[in-house]
């Protein structure tokens, strides 16, 4: 047999850590029935959390996410990528009966890629929903990306 000869051809590769603790929205997810599931559960370091991300892709896009959590206090840490859009991004929290619990309005023009936090309390264990949508006086097409983390405190 012949032996391989050295060459001057180069190569490159990328090693990227993939997180299994985050969920990306799955369209269509415009309602509680079609909500994208993400898991809030105990993870390393004694923390209990779960995360998800998505894009507001159209004027009427609403992204629904569903999670199960125990009673207690939680932080909703939100990051919205900066945008030229004049619209804000609204994050709303609902319980299993779709009763409104709390919300946070994020302005991507003023926060750039900074995280904002909403602390909320859950009085009982159960299923909860986070709804992400555009909010503004004149919604416009956009592709604002966002991510959030629900962290038990």
């Amino acid at each position: 047999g012949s032996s391989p000869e050295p060459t001057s051809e180069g190569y490159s590769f990328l090693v990227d850590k993939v997180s299994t603790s985050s969920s990306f929205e799955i369209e269509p997810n415009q309602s509680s029935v079609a909500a994208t599931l993400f898991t809030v559960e105990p993870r390393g370091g004694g923390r209990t959390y779960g995360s998800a991300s998505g894009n507001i892709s159209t004027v009427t896009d609403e992204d629904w996410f569903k999670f199960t959590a125990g009673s207690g206090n939680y932080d909703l840490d939100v990051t919205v990528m900066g945008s030229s859009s004049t619209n804000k991004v609204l994050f709303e929290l609902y319980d299993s009966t779709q009763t409104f619990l709390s919300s946070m309005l994020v302005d991507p023009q003023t926060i750039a890629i900074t995280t904002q936090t909403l602390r909320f309390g859950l009085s009982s264990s159960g299923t909860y929903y986070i709804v992400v949508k555009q909010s503004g006086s004149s919604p416009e097409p956009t592709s604002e990306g966002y991510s959030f983390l629900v962290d038990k405190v």
Side-chain angles (χ1 to χ4, degrees):
S2 63
S3 60
E5 295 188 24
T7 68
S8 61
E9 294 177 23
Y11 65 90
S12 66
F13 60 91
L14 172 69
V15 176
D16 194 8
K17 181 178 178 185
V18 177
S19 172
T20 58
S21 65
S22 184
S23 297
F24 191 80
E25 67 161 322
I26 300 169
E27 294 285 1
N29 61 340
Q30 300 279 109
S31 68
S32 61
V33 174
T36 299
L37 177 65
F38 73 99
T39 306
V40 175
E41 63 186 0
R43 303 191 192 271
R47 290 179 58 201
T48 297
Y49 66 92
S51 63
S53 59
N55 288 304
I56 303 297
S57 54
T58 67
V59 172
T60 58
D61 192 13
E62 280 191 7
D63 295 339
W64 283 68
F65 294 89
K66 175 171 64 172
F67 67 100
T68 302
S71 62
N73 291 319
Y74 292 81
D75 281 346
L76 173 61
D77 297 324
V78 169
T79 302
V80 176
M81 298 358 156
S83 168
S84 61
S85 170
T86 58
N87 293 300
K88 296 168 178 58
V89 181
L90 181 61
F91 291 80
E92 298 176 324
L93 177 68
Y94 294 89
D95 69 10
S96 61
T97 64
Q98 296 178 31
T99 300
F100 174 80
L101 300 176
S102 192
S103 68
M104 177 170 46
L105 191 61
V106 178
D107 185 344
Q109 288 187 341
T110 60
I111 69 161
I113 305 180
T114 305
T115 301
Q116 287 186 291
T117 300
L118 169 69
R119 179 152 294 169
F120 61 92
L122 301 178
S123 59
S124 62
S125 298
T127 299
Y128 295 90
Y129 297 94
I130 293 175
V131 180
V132 185
K133 58 188 172 184
Q134 229 184 74
S135 176
S137 58
S138 57
E140 56 194 57
T142 182
S143 60
E144 291 169 350
Y146 61 84
S147 62
F148 63 82
L149 174 78
V150 174
D151 194 5
K152 188 165 187 178
V153 292

